Amino acid sequence: MKLIRKTSEPTTPEKSSGNLIFKLIPYWPLFLSLFILSIAGAWIYLQFTAPLYEANARILINEKKGDEEAKTAEPMQTVTPKQTIDNEREVLTSNPILNRVVDDLALYAPLYEHKTLATVSAYKTSPIQVVAKDSKGITGAARVDFSYEKSGVTIDGKKYPIGSWQNTPYGVLMFIPNTQNKNPQQGNFSFSLVAPKKAAASLAERLKVTEANKLSTILNIALLDEDPSRAEAILDDILKVYSNAAIDEHNRLAANTQEFINQRLASVQGELVAIEGNLQSYKANKGAVDVSTQGKLFLENVSTNDQKVGEINMQLSVLNQVDKYVKSKDLSGGIVPSTVGINDPGLTQMVKDVYDLQLQAENMRKTTGENNPMYSSVIGQIEKIRPQIVQNLANQRSSLMASRNNLSSTTSNYSTQLQAMPETERKLVDINRQQQIKNGIYTFLLQKKEETALSVITNGSGSKIISNAESSEFPVSPKRKMIYLASLLGAGIIGVGFVSLKEGMRRNVMFQSDIEQLTSLPVIAEITSDTSNKYIVIGSQQRTLIAEQFRALRTTLRYLGVSPQKKRVMITSAISGEGKSFIAANLAMSLAMTGKKVALLDFDLNNPTIHRKFNIKQSLGIADYLLGKAEAKDIILQSNENENLFLLLTGELPIDPAELIMNGKAEELLNYLDGTFDYVILDVPPVGPVSDAYTLAPFCDATLFVIRHAYTPKIFVERIDENIKLNDLPNPAIIFNAVAPRGFGKNSYGYGYGSGMVYGGAYDQKRLNIDSKK
């Protein structure tokens, strides 16, 4: 009967994880140490790392686009800045606003409190605040320690009073009481000085502006900072500066428009005063008191035409002002012309775009310089819009002049009719007509002046604060749970890597899984290492772990085809020292304990050891039988360990054991023993050094191949399958011998699958302990 060899099965994730866990369990002190160190390291990291809090505020943007802007700009048609979500998001994080916030809150001089393990922000705990007279001149100072008393601040041994500008080694500074700290206490405080640009850049990195959602015009402003109160103060000041900047810009545009209207009013008022003086002088000189009905009718018609001509002239004047402004080389100079009276949204939009671009270019020129590519790009956009405005102005001017010529022609016809009127009456009508025209223009400008003034009074920023800054209750960074979990994970990875590297570098067989990976033969038994130094570890009263393992091996033999008809079991190994004789002796003893007669043959004619294990001196043995010097019955000795166990020793060692075994008498001896014994156990030499095992293999029914833990090189296990193909061994199986315990303390973990448990509960365990002490 041939044993069906185990076929290689794909390693499942569950099996791989189980093997890995089994390998790691004995190293629990290492992992415990690593976990303790990782937790301690994470705790120290958290102590030295300043926590960050997040403050949030929300603002509503009144978005204006396209034609809607033209409608909201009437009746003044002033250059109103366009508000969009994207524009306002960039404005909120722009350098001018952040620089203003840095100056308002003195963020260029952060305060710190030095504690035992960490340095934290002293925004609320510091007794003072530090203000620089010229913040732009700050060059920077890493750490300036100071001590506080009610009478002043001491820096580098010199005392400075509070509330006045003082010349210090770090510039002109003022130390003022900290309004956040109502009860100042002594402490280890310091401040540092940072260039405002760097402070603004740091603030921009921690500031995030996002849309609340795609359908709304609400912006959410978030800021990360070490101090939640400072984060709230910064966000509130950002919103304040942003709103004030929008109001200032609107007021500046309204002021430009009002200045233009005032100039026009002064000019028209002067003209109106001159006309009224002429009228009064003419009436006094000519004695003209009234005009005829025809003259009145003519005056009404001509006055209407003249008023229209006046409006056209005023529009032409506005166009000339715009033309002069657009064609000027430096748009930043002078007053931005208003498009009063011009009902062309396109022209208004283009003038506004030029103005917005000019403001942007002016800001960039001050901050980045004229050689910056972005500055050149903005100037290029201005130069691209200029021709469009000039062309638009030319078209409107042409249209207005045509209208004026048409009205002038009509007025000329009326003038021809006037020639028939008396000269005095005609002159009076002409003066009255000019007076009515100027009165109409003056009234129109007064109306626009009041509307402009009203827009200044009712001016808002175009935005609304939905919620003021509010900080989170707990830090958002670092996340304590994540830090601890990451440290534990890192410790676990280091531990697994160390164990895997250590186990992987071993060249000998360490685990039963190593055997399964290197050969297809099944492992039918796992024998633990024995520390009692006894050769025979199984007996009728022994319930030790190793004794139970030999009993389990005895039961497993039937799966190798061992039966009353096939009773010969050969035990061998790869190299010497793997414990094959130990396995053979105790297996034979285990079989004899069942009442079966067992013959144990020491066929290792090179290095016999069975006689030492049973404490018997060498006598006539197998070698003598093979040489024909003794009969089979003469070399059979009864063991002193069990009455059913009989030994056949080697006898006198031959010179050529391999040839001696092949003389044919070995088979005769085995046939003789078959008729007398129930089991025949052969302890044969290792297959590595000599070939005796392969010579005896055809006479045997099963083969037990012994592999010793931490001793047998893996290379020999790899060759088992190849050797079996060349020299067929009957029903081969593997015994994993001397599996050492792994672990610490009372718990031990084997290198096999850990199946070494004694059945029988507490009583059997007690018996096991008693036997182990004997």
Side-chain angles (χ1 to χ4, degrees), residues 160 192 211 301 699:
Y160 299 94
S192 63
E211 297 180 30
N301 294 332
F699 311 139

Side-chain angles (χ1 to χ4, degrees), residues 624-763:
D624 300 296
Y625 175 81
L626 296 179
L627 291 172
K629 297 180 180 181
E631 296 294 331
K633 62 180 180 177
D634 298 331
I635 62 174
I636 299 175
L637 302 175
Q638 186 174 19
S639 168
N640 54 7
E641 296 289 339
N642 189 287
E643 61 182 6
N644 295 321
L645 177 60
F646 295 85
L647 308 177
L648 284 77
L649 305 180
T650 56
E652 184 179 356
L653 297 181
I655 299 176
D656 50 355
E659 288 75 11
L660 185 62
I661 292 175
M662 296 178 65
N663 64 8
K665 294 186 69 64
E667 184 176 8
E668 294 178 3
L669 176 60
L670 294 175
N671 291 334
Y672 172 78
L673 296 176
D674 282 345
T676 307
F677 295 95
D678 298 308
Y679 294 100
V680 179
I681 307 300
L682 288 76
D683 178 15
V684 301
V687 298
V690 294
S691 60
D692 295 0
Y694 297 122
T695 303
L696 293 171
F699 311 139
C700 298
D701 302 309
T703 303
L704 298 181
F705 203 97
V706 178
I707 294 176
R708 184 170 183 175
H709 164 256
Y711 183 84
T712 306
K714 294 180 180 180
I715 184 79
F716 286 100
V717 182
E718 288 179 334
R719 295 176 180 173
I720 291 178
D721 290 351
E722 181 179 352
N723 292 337
I724 290 177
K725 290 180 181 179
L726 298 176
N727 304 281
D728 192 19
L729 297 176
N731 294 333
I734 292 176
I735 297 177
F736 194 22
N737 185 33
V739 178
R742 306 162 68 221
F744 299 84
K746 297 182 179 180
N747 296 322
S748 296
Y749 305 87
Y751 280 87
Y753 280 131
S755 57
M757 294 187 65
V758 179
Y759 179 76
Y763 172 76

Side-chain angles (χ1 to χ4, degrees), residues 358-556:
Q358 181 58 32
L359 288 178
Q360 184 178 354
E362 185 66 15
N363 289 334
M364 294 179 64
R365 184 177 67 83
K366 293 178 180 179
T367 57
T368 63
E370 297 182 356
N371 295 327
N372 187 277
M374 295 181 64
Y375 175 80
S376 301
S377 174
V378 173
I379 295 300
Q381 295 181 45
I382 293 175
E383 295 301 327
K384 184 177 180 181
I385 298 176
R386 272 181 173 176
Q388 299 178 14
I389 297 177
V390 172
Q391 181 64 37
N392 185 286
L393 291 174
N395 294 338
Q396 291 204 47
R397 188 183 290 111
S398 176
S399 176
L400 290 174
M401 291 184 68
S403 298
R404 188 178 65 177
N405 292 336
N406 185 30
L407 291 173
S408 297
S409 176
T410 303
T411 303
S412 179
N413 292 333
Y414 288 133
S415 298
T416 302
Q417 296 178 13
L418 273 176
Q419 293 178 0
M421 297 176 63
E423 182 179 356
T424 301
E425 187 176 1
R426 180 169 53 84
K427 186 66 175 178
L428 188 59
V429 170
D430 187 41
I431 295 174
N432 287 332
R433 180 186 63 186
Q434 294 180 15
Q435 185 183 29
Q436 291 181 3
I437 292 172
K438 297 302 179 182
N439 279 329
I441 295 174
Y442 190 77
T443 301
F444 175 77
L445 291 175
L446 284 177
Q447 178 185 356
K448 297 306 177 185
K449 180 180 179 180
E450 293 301 321
E451 291 175 354
T452 303
L454 184 61
S455 69
V456 174
I457 295 174
T458 59
N459 176 38
S461 63
S463 60
K464 178 182 178 182
I465 298 176
I466 302 299
S467 61
N468 290 318
E470 185 175 350
S471 62
S472 58
E473 181 179 359
F474 302 101
V476 297
S477 175
K479 298 182 181 298
R480 300 180 68 88
K481 291 183 179 179
M482 294 300 297
I483 295 297
Y484 282 117
L485 288 176
S487 64
L488 291 175
L489 179 61
I493 292 175
I494 293 174
V496 171
F498 172 78
V499 173
S500 300
L501 181 63
K502 179 181 177 182
E503 301 291 350
M505 293 178 64
R506 296 182 185 271
R507 308 177 99 183
N508 298 335
V509 176
M510 298 300 300
F511 296 95
Q512 184 171 322
S513 59
D514 294 339
I515 301 174
E516 295 174 347
Q517 293 174 2
L518 296 173
T519 180
S520 61
L521 297 184
V523 179
I524 65 169
E526 180 183 300
I527 307 299
T528 60
S529 62
D530 182 67
T531 58
S532 65
N533 295 324
K534 295 180 180 180
Y535 293 119
I536 305 301
V537 296
I538 184 172
S540 59
Q541 298 298 321
Q542 290 181 323
R543 294 294 305 277
T544 61
L545 174 61
I546 192 170
E548 293 301 321
Q549 289 174 331
F550 275 107
R551 290 185 176 96
L553 173 60
R554 178 183 65 194
T555 305
T556 311

Side-chain angles (χ1 to χ4, degrees), residues 257-287:
T257 301
Q258 195 167 28
E259 184 177 356
F260 172 76
I261 292 175
N262 288 335
Q263 291 177 356
R264 292 294 300 157
L265 276 173
S267 175
V268 174
Q269 186 177 13
E271 295 174 359
L272 188 57
V273 169
I275 292 175
E276 290 176 348
N278 291 337
L279 178 60
Q280 185 177 3
S281 176
Y282 184 79
K283 286 184 176 182
N285 293 332
K286 298 296 184 180

